[in-house]
Amino acid sequence: MRIIEAKHERGRPYWHAVARLRLALTLDRGGKHEIEFHNGHLAPASPITRQAEAEAWHLLVKDSLPIIAVGDFNAAALNDPALQIATSDSIARRKLHTGAAQALSDAGLHDVGALLGVTAPTVQRPIAYRCDRLYTTRPAWAQSLDIHETGESDHPLLIATFTVPRE
């Protein structure tokens, strides 16, 4: 794997930057592939800001390169079991807002956890929900997703396997 280009989407609407790497992959079976790897961290407190950030991802997906994106999305996924929880806690209610997850889906990003049935919570506060997720524009490539607690952070490691076809 070789890094071709690194970019950071900064400024409005992003609360934090979205890091973007353009990678050249050399496949074990021969052949090469270029992909983009994104790492994002959406706004921690505002569902409206998170949704605007996620909607801006439409501009990042418009390129025809395959994308794998990982991040702390700070809100529940579309299929999150936590969505069944009734709560009067205002912070928890903001975390259960799925506008950002819907915007990512609308942009063509597929939730790898949902695809593979890995819907365990990745954080426990203010409620247990799956805020750390992996997305891809190539859902057929996703083979596995594991969640590993390290004790070094309040967020786990997401370890995924993708099978990239020869060109």
Side-chain angles (χ1 to χ4, degrees):
M1 176 172 50
R2 181 174 54 86
I3 297 174
I4 297 171
E5 180 180 26
K7 292 182 181 179
H8 292 81
E9 303 298 332
R10 296 182 191 152
R12 293 190 193 264
Y14 301 107
W15 178 267
H16 301 290
V18 173
R20 296 170 57 199
L21 293 177
R22 188 176 201 136
L23 304 171
L25 305 177
T26 302
L27 305 177
D28 290 339
R29 303 166 314 282
K32 297 180 188 262
H33 230 299
E34 284 188 20
I35 68 166
E36 276 203 0
F37 181 81
H38 298 181
N39 183 357
H41 187 176
L42 301 190
S46 171
I48 302 304
T49 301
R50 279 193 299 272
Q51 187 166 339
E53 292 170 320
E55 287 174 357
W57 230 296
H58 279 266
L59 299 173
L60 306 181
V61 173
K62 70 180 180 178
D63 193 349
S64 63
L65 281 182
I67 293 172
I68 296 172
V70 65
D72 176 352
F73 293 93
N74 268 313
L78 289 176
N79 69 333
D80 203 311
L83 295 173
Q84 305 307 312
I85 298 170
T87 180
S88 61
D89 181 284
S90 65
I91 294 171
R93 280 196 322 271
R94 287 194 301 270
K95 297 296 185 182
L96 294 175
H97 187 273
T98 59
Q102 185 63 58
L104 292 168
S105 177
D106 291 347
L109 290 160
H110 300 267
D111 178 350
V112 173
L115 290 170
L116 300 175
V118 180
T119 59
T122 60
V123 296
Q124 301 300 317
R125 293 184 325 213
I127 55 170
Y129 71 104
R130 191 165 60 93
C131 77
D132 304 290
R133 295 190 297 279
L134 204 72
Y135 286 89
T136 185
T137 56
R138 299 297 193 271
W141 293 8
Q143 301 301 307
S144 68
L145 176 63
D146 295 307
I147 300 171
H148 294 275
E149 297 294 337
T150 65
E152 297 175 16
S153 171
D154 59 340
H155 296 273
L157 291 175
L158 300 180
I159 300 175
T161 303
F162 292 86
T163 299
V164 179
R166 287 173 49 171
E167 289 186 318

